[in-house]
Amino acid sequence: MALLEITGLSKAFGGLRAINGLDIYVDEGEVVSVIGPNGAGKTTFFNLVTGMETPDEGSIVFDGQELVGLRPNQILQLGMARTFQNVRLFPAMTVLENVMVGQHARTRAGLLGAIFKTPSQRREEREIEERSKEVLSFFGTRLAGYRHDQLSMVLSYANRRRLEIARAMATSPRLLLLDEPTAGMNPRETIELTELIGRLRSERAYTIVLIEHDMQVVRNVSDRVVVLDHGVKLTEGSYDEISTNENVIEAYLGRPAEMGA
Ligand SMILES: Nc1ncnc2c1ncn2[C@@H]1O[C@H](COP(=O)(O)OP(=O)(O)O)[C@@H](O)[C@H]1O
Ligand SMILES: [Mg+2]
C-alpha cells in the first residue's frame, strides 16, 4: 500500500471547485512533484492533506490511517510536515527558536510547558534544542552555528525559505510537503535547493511531495509528476512523459489562437 493514498478528493469554495474528484498516491521514498497553472488547486491540495481545510468528499489515507476528520496537529503527530508558499516564520524569534517551536506541538509538555518549565520539561527542551541544531547542520554554512541566535527577520529571503524547511524537518516527519520552495530564488539558489531536495531523500530518507513551478527543478528531482488543472488531474507520469503531453502544454500555454494580421 502507498504511504499516501488519496481517492475522490473534492473541495469547493462557494461555486468554485478548487479540487474535483482527485486520486493521488505517493509511495514510500518517492519524490512526487505537483505542477499546474496558477489557481489549479495545488495549495488547496496541501491544505486538505494537512487538515487545514476539510474536504467535501473523498478519503486521505496516510500510512493506513484515514486523515479526514483529524485536526492539523494530530496529522503532524502521525508524521507529516509542510512548508508554505509564503514564508511563515516568527520574525522576532531566533533561527534556533523557529526550529524548536515546530516540535513543541509534538512534546508531552506542549507549548505551555515551554513557558512554565519543570525539570523533566527542561530535559525535553534540551533534547529539542539538540535535535534542532542537528537539523540546522544539514544546511551547512547557510544556517551554521553563528546564525542560530540571529532573529529570523534578519536572514536573507533564501535563508528564510531554508529555515522553513528546517522547521518542517525538525518534527521528524516521514512525509514532507514543500509548497513552491524555490519561488523567489535566483538561479544559483534554485540549483542549491534542488540539490538539497535530493539530499533530503538520499541522506534522510524522506518521502517528498513538492509543488513546483520551475520545470528544471521538477525535471531534476521528480520520480513522478502529477499535473493539476482546474482541480482535476490532467495527467501523471515521468517528467519526459508529462512534458511532451499535449494537454499539459495546452494548460500552460492556452489553446493555439489564430493570429490576426
Ligand atoms: N480559502 C479559500 N477561499 C476561497 N477560495 C479559495 C480558497 N483557497 C483557494 N481558493 C481558490 O481555489 C483555487 C485554487 O487555489 P490554490 O489551491 O491556491 O491554487 P494554486 O496553489 O494551484 O495556485 C483558486 O481559484 C483560489 O482562488
Ligand atoms: Mg499555491
Side-chain angles (χ1 to χ4, degrees), residues 101-167:
V101 81
Q103 295 168 75
H104 284 129
R106 295 199 70 168
T107 62
R108 266 176 300 110
L111 204 52
L112 269 187
I115 301 165
F116 304 106
K117 294 187 185 80
T118 66
S120 83
Q121 287 165 354
R122 268 193 220 106
R123 198 175 321 119
E124 206 165 41
E125 190 79 356
R126 269 200 305 278
E127 285 165 13
I128 287 176
E129 187 174 327
E130 285 315 305
R131 187 160 55 234
S132 300
K133 286 179 174 169
E134 194 280 319
V135 163
L136 285 167
S137 74
F138 183 74
F139 295 80
T141 56
R142 295 299 187 185
L143 297 173
Y146 74 96
R147 290 212 185 271
H148 292 182
D149 297 324
Q150 290 181 345
L151 298 184
S152 71
M153 64 182 158
V154 309
L155 295 178
S156 69
Y157 174 78
N159 257 343
R160 275 183 262 148
R161 301 228 68 154
R162 293 183 187 107
L163 180 55
E164 267 224 310
I165 297 174
R167 184 170 60 182

Side-chain angles (χ1 to χ4, degrees), residues 7-21:
T7 43
L9 192 68
S10 293
K11 176 70 178 179
F13 298 110
L16 178 90
R17 295 180 171 192
I19 293 290
N20 194 359

Side-chain angles (χ1 to χ4, degrees), residues 18-33:
I19 293 290
N20 194 359
L22 192 62
D23 299 334
I24 288 186
Y25 72 93
V26 180
D27 281 329
E28 182 112 48
E30 264 192 311
V31 176
V32 175
S33 290

Side-chain angles (χ1 to χ4, degrees), residues 6-224:
I6 292 167
T7 43
L9 192 68
S10 293
K11 176 70 178 179
F13 298 110
L16 178 90
R17 295 180 171 192
I19 293 290
N20 194 359
L22 192 62
D23 299 334
I24 288 186
Y25 72 93
V26 180
D27 281 329
E28 182 112 48
E30 264 192 311
V31 176
V32 175
S33 290
V34 177
I35 68 167
N38 259 339
K42 304 180 298 294
T43 296
T44 302
F45 167 63
F46 273 14
N47 290 343
L48 291 167
V49 172
T50 54
M52 301 178 78
E53 297 275 5
T54 310
D56 301 327
E57 282 174 62
S59 153
I60 304 168
V61 176
F62 176 60
D63 195 19
Q65 183 167 352
E66 177 61 57
L67 299 187
V68 174
L70 298 185
R71 292 189 303 276
N73 71 317
Q74 293 174 307
I75 293 171
L76 177 90
Q77 286 180 19
L78 291 174
M80 201 187 291
R82 75 175 289 183
T83 64
F84 292 89
Q85 188 168 351
N86 306 305
V87 178
R88 291 192 189 181
L89 294 167
F90 295 100
M93 281 189 182
T94 66
V95 166
L96 186 60
E97 284 166 350
N98 265 285
V99 180
M100 290 175 68
V101 81
Q103 295 168 75
H104 284 129
R106 295 199 70 168
T107 62
R108 266 176 300 110
L111 204 52
L112 269 187
I115 301 165
F116 304 106
K117 294 187 185 80
T118 66
S120 83
Q121 287 165 354
R122 268 193 220 106
R123 198 175 321 119
E124 206 165 41
E125 190 79 356
R126 269 200 305 278
E127 285 165 13
I128 287 176
E129 187 174 327
E130 285 315 305
R131 187 160 55 234
S132 300
K133 286 179 174 169
E134 194 280 319
V135 163
L136 285 167
S137 74
F138 183 74
F139 295 80
T141 56
R142 295 299 187 185
L143 297 173
Y146 74 96
R147 290 212 185 271
H148 292 182
D149 297 324
Q150 290 181 345
L151 298 184
S152 71
M153 64 182 158
V154 309
L155 295 178
S156 69
Y157 174 78
N159 257 343
R160 275 183 262 148
R161 301 228 68 154
R162 293 183 187 107
L163 180 55
E164 267 224 310
I165 297 174
R167 184 170 60 182
M169 289 168 68
T171 61
S172 305
R174 290 173 66 190
L175 179 63
L176 202 49
L177 307 174
L178 306 176
D179 196 345
E180 303 208 14
T182 69
M185 288 193 174
N186 68 34
R188 191 174 42 78
E189 291 162 346
T190 299
I191 289 169
E192 191 182 317
L193 195 78
T194 306
E195 288 166 4
L196 192 107
I197 292 168
R199 285 178 54 221
L200 284 171
R201 192 230 311 253
S202 62
E203 294 175 23
R204 305 273 161 144
Y206 286 118
T207 304
I208 298 170
V209 182
L210 175 80
I211 296 173
E212 184 53 60
H213 64 278
D214 185 319
M215 287 303 141
Q216 290 288 38
V217 178
V218 172
R219 190 168 69 94
N220 284 325
V221 303
S222 315
D223 295 309
R224 197 150 50 82

